[in-house]
Every structure is written in structure tokens, then in C-alpha cells.
Amino acid sequence: MKKRLSLVLALVLIFCTSFSFNAFGTQSTDIARTQIGTSDIYYEFDASTGTLTVSGTGAIPDMKNTSTSQPWYNWRSDGSISRVVIGEGITAIGTYNFYSVKATGFTLPSTLRTIGRYSFSSSSIRNAALPFGVTSIAANAFDTCTELASVTLPDSLKTIAGNAFKVCTSLEEIEIPYSVMSIGSYAFDRCTSLETLKFSAMTASVSLGTYAFYDCTSLTTVAFPQNATLSKNAFGFGRSGAISGAEMLVYDSSNAHIYATSNSISYQILDEKYELELGVPETVTYDENTLDKAYAFTYTPDFSGTYNFYSRGETDVKAALYNGTDLIAESDDVSGTDRNFCLTANLTAGVTYTYKVSSMMSQGSATVIVYPDEIQSFDVIGSLTFNASDGFHSTDTAYFPIVDSALSDFILDIRFAGGYSDKIYYKSGYFNNRQIALADTQTTHPFTCGENAQTVAIGEVTSDFAVYVNHEYTATVVPYTAYEDGYTLHTCILCGDSYKDEFVPTPAVTVSGRCMLATAPDGSYSSDFPLDNITVTFQGNTYHTDENGYFYFRTFLNGELMLSSPYCDSIALTVNEGEDAEFGVIPMAAYDFNRDGYINGRDLAVFKTELQDDLGKDYFSSAVNFM
């Protein structure tokens, strides 16, 4: 029995090996634009290029790691997809959206704001350049992206959640922006190729969760910010214990210093002189014990020109700029109401300057920053949408509430002198020795429905952004007439645009015919002589034939229609209720010019002496048939 069972199992194994197949197969045909659930998001696939495109407005819906939830589940890992394009207008990449998608190229939109859990996990993404505006990276977002070699994090990013970049074994370096406040537990666990970890601001307040850089065996030397806090095994440890050669560069008495000493990690004390970078804010903090402290910063410009060093915050501070030991500029208050400073100086490329910030006996914190003075141009990234009724109407003009709070998510992409550029969130107020403000132009350029332009100014430099106004309609019921169907007329309250719907057919009937000159008693007629100006009388209304003998009207009534002429007897016709009356050609023997009841020589005499010029000499030629 055992031998027979073994033989059967062997044959089954041979069969399965010889005839194994892909249960799903590659996606070899195009997929037309298809809606994802009930959202405003769609996907399509170009099989010839292997491009999966996701487009629409808003967030891509959260998915599950199942074939019924993720549309491309059955062909995500078989080589069908080589590139993923996520279109402009998409604001969030949801849970499991691109989980295990084996595409190497991913295009991300500038409108992106959040990245969901497991959204790219186990994919083949190689480069992740996250746009400014992304504020959070959720747990496991890039977990086990083993081909991910390059990551660019924007200055808008605030949180990197737990396991976000776990087991990204090809990642060699990462820079943490000054905006990041927290890095979650195991965020970079087992990034075994990671050699360089840099914090853009060395005064940043950033917390590193437990095991944040656990088992990063190639990461040995890191300089930690003055205000960084490290939780258990956040750096310097792995599954085999302490990482050999790990060393921390720390500021004296900082949390990182305490972490190093309590965990027996080698460290060096950093000189409290912070290196400034363009557009990167550093924080100065004063309490009752440090009011006499002068924070020292160094700055080495890449190009010669005019620069502004300035502060923001409620703390009253002043600054002094040195070239070596020579004081070259100093500044205290921007104005009588603004206790911040703005220090402007001409600097030479390659020279290292020292910049010292002191408190004017004021406790609290302030940020200090440096920019080139010259702003060449900027773009506003963002738009507003209103309904027509949102405007306050004054006579024929509507004014819409364009206020600073409505622009809180707008981004200013600013180009400075020397080729430097930076992105910041819109915020009215002082910026780089000038004011950022809305420049409302509605008084001179009132909005109408559709796309309008509104203006932001940074000092004297301006840029427009789009403001869209949607139509809003009032409805008026227009009843039918004899000649027109009834309908509902919708008219926009702002611009007057209109459309019609809900048509109600008119019940009126059509009455028409053509009066022609009869050429024989049997009703024959000549097409050369249409009878114009024949009087058509119906239910008290009078109409006339046109120059080609036609008459036409519509009516709700029925009854007798009378055709009359000064040259012949009247003809009576019947219009029936609810029926169109198409009488066609109606011959009329219009030769009795003297109206004596006979067509004879007297009529010929009248024709010759009075009517021939008007009617034409051939008009009376057929009258002989009626004599």
C-alpha cells in the first residue's frame, strides 16, 4: 500500500513539475480608464509601455492586500508594470495602493500630501523624491523596498511613522529635514547599506522612537541636533548587540549626549557653532539661565551678492555679522512693532562669516534664517473654488472672500538670485526683508464664472493663482405657446449663462398651404403664378400668403378656414381638432377683376388697363378656360 501511494505521489509531482503554469498570467492588453470604487480616482494601463496611470482628484482609496480590493493585484508582480504615473490632483496615496507592485519608476504629483500604510511596501521603487507638501509618511509605507536607493524628503514633512523604511537595504543616505518632528519606532530598521544620516537643522527638535535606526550596521558616525531626543536603542544597536564603530557627535549636556553616555557609545562633543544653510531655519531658545548666551552660526555663501539674515518669533533678539573678528553689520528691531531683526549684508562667495544672535533680555524661542535678498520670481501652487452665491453682491458685481486662512495650504515656489530656489507655505507677514500679502484685485477685475486670477505679492514681486467660480442657476418655468414648446429656463445668478430642460411639447397644430393661380376648371395650375397676399382668416385671426403663395400658422383651435382674394370667390377649408392641416397647393381662379361674378372681356379690359404691369402679361392667358 505504501509503495503504491509513493508511486502516485511521485507521478503527481512529475505532472505538476512538467505542467506548472502562472495562475494569472501577465496583463498583455490595455485597460481603459476605469473608476476605482465610487471615488473620483481612475486607473488605466498601457500594455505596450507597461505604464499604469492613476488619475483624478483627491485621495486614492485605501485598499487591502487582496485581488478584490487592489485592481492590479493579479499582475502587480509578474513584470507587466514597469512604470507607475500618479497624476496631478491626487492628494493621498492610500493603504496598500502599490503594495508589491514590481515597477521601478514611480512619478509622484506635486499635489501629494500624505502617504498611507504599506502604500509602496515590497514594491520595486528605486527613487522616491517626495514633493513639498507631503506632511506624513505612514507606518510601513516603504517597508521592504529593497531596491530603494534614493529618498528625498521635503521640508514640509512632519512625521515618519514606525517601520516606514524598514529593510530598505539599498538605501545609503538620508537627510532629515528641519520640519520633521518625529521618527517612529523601527522606521529605518535593517537599512543595512545606510552609511550617512544627516539632519538639515542642528537645532531641530526631533524625537527618534525606539529602535528607529536599529540594525543599521553601516551607520557608524552621526551628528545629532541640539534638541534631538533618542528613545531606547534608537541608534548604535542591532540584533547582535552594539554596532561596532558607532560614534555620536553631540552637543554638551544634550539628550543625545546623555543617550551616548548611558549606552556606552563613543561620542565627541560638538562646538556650539551651527552651520547655516540657505532656507533652513535654526532655533534659538532663551530661559532665565541663558539670557546672556550668544548663539553662533557660520555661513559660507556659494555666490557673491546681498543676503538677508532675519528672525521670526515673539522673542526680542538682535544679531551681529562678522568676517573673522571684524563686525560688518548688526541689526535689532525690524520696526517699532516687530522686535525681530533683519540684517542685510553683501557677502563674497567662499568666505565663511560668523553670525551671532543674542536675546534682548527676552525669554522664549525664535527661528533664524538666511536667504539671498533678490527675489526674481515665484509661482503660487494652489487654487480656490467658490460657488456663484458665495460672493457678496453689490449692484451687478460680486466680491468673493479671498482671505489668508483660505490659502493656508498654498505653496510659494520662490526663485532667488544666484539660481537658488525654495518652497514655503503661504503665510502673510514679514519674509526676507519684505511682506508677503494678498493683493486683492476684485475691485478692478471682478470675478465671473469659470477661471479667474488673484494675486500674491512678495514685496514688489507678484504672482497669480487661479480662482474658480462655479455657476449657480435659478429656474424659471416658461409655458408653451402655439409656436414654441414649454421648458424650464436655468439662468446663472452671476454671469447670466443659461440652459433649458424639462421641455413640454406644445399641443398646437400646424396649418399650412400654398395658393396658386388656377389655369383650368379641373384644378390645374401653373407654378409660374403663386398668389401672394391672399387673405387667410381663421377664428378671428388674419394671415396672408407670402410672395411664393405660402401661408403657415399654428393654433390650438379647430373650425373653418377662409381663403379670400379681390379677384375670385372665397374658398372654405376645415381644420380638425388635434390634427395638423397640411392643405398643399390650393388652385384659385383669380381672374374676376371687376367682381361681377363672371370672367369675361370686361375683366380683360381691367387687366390690360390696370393690372398687367403688376401681374405680368401672361397672367390672363389661361382665363379663357373659365369664360
Side-chain angles (χ1 to χ4, degrees), residues 484-495:
E484 291 188 0
D485 293 339
Y487 55 88
T488 299
L489 177 65
H490 301 268
T491 305
C492 180
I493 62 174
L494 178 62
C495 71

Side-chain angles (χ1 to χ4, degrees), residues 108-173:
L108 305 180
S110 64
T111 51
L112 190 61
R113 297 295 178 262
T114 59
I115 298 175
R117 295 185 305 110
Y118 293 97
S119 51
F120 293 96
S121 180
S122 299
S123 72
S124 296
I125 186 171
R126 293 178 180 174
N127 302 290
L130 307 187
F132 188 95
V134 171
T135 58
S136 62
I137 301 173
N140 300 88
F142 294 91
D143 183 359
T144 319
C145 291
T146 57
E147 297 184 43
L148 183 61
S150 172
V151 174
T152 302
L153 303 178
D155 292 339
S156 56
L157 185 64
K158 296 185 180 299
T159 58
I160 302 173
N163 302 300
F165 292 94
K166 184 180 73 175
V167 198
C168 289
T169 53
S170 296
L171 188 61
E172 297 182 356
E173 59 181 276

Side-chain angles (χ1 to χ4, degrees), residues 446-459:
F447 291 170
T448 187
C449 294
E451 182 175 346
N452 305 271
Q454 188 58 289
T455 302
V456 169
I458 306 179

Side-chain angles (χ1 to χ4, degrees), residues 270-327:
L270 292 167
D271 181 11
E272 284 199 33
K273 184 177 286 187
Y274 307 98
E275 183 177 350
L276 277 177
E277 294 184 14
L278 283 177
V280 177
E282 297 282 359
T283 302
V284 293
T285 303
Y286 297 96
D287 57 28
E288 59 184 5
N289 299 315
T290 59
L291 285 177
D292 59 349
K293 179 179 179 178
Y295 281 85
F297 299 89
T298 61
Y299 179 65
T300 307
D302 291 331
F303 54 91
S304 299
T306 304
Y307 292 79
N308 293 318
F309 297 81
Y310 70 98
S311 67
R312 291 285 83 200
E314 300 302 321
T315 305
D316 187 3
V317 288
K318 66 177 182 178
L321 183 66
Y322 298 85
N323 184 354
T325 58
D326 297 332
L327 175 65

Side-chain angles (χ1 to χ4, degrees), residues 237-293:
F237 293 92
R239 285 161 178 76
S240 299
I243 292 174
S244 176
E247 182 181 46
M248 299 175 64
L249 307 181
V250 299
Y251 293 99
D252 189 27
S253 301
S254 66
N255 177 274
H257 183 193
I258 297 170
Y259 176 91
T261 56
S262 61
N263 287 284
S264 301
I265 297 175
S266 176
Y267 66 89
Q268 294 184 39
I269 299 296
L270 292 167
D271 181 11
E272 284 199 33
K273 184 177 286 187
Y274 307 98
E275 183 177 350
L276 277 177
E277 294 184 14
L278 283 177
V280 177
E282 297 282 359
T283 302
V284 293
T285 303
Y286 297 96
D287 57 28
E288 59 184 5
N289 299 315
T290 59
L291 285 177
D292 59 349
K293 179 179 179 178

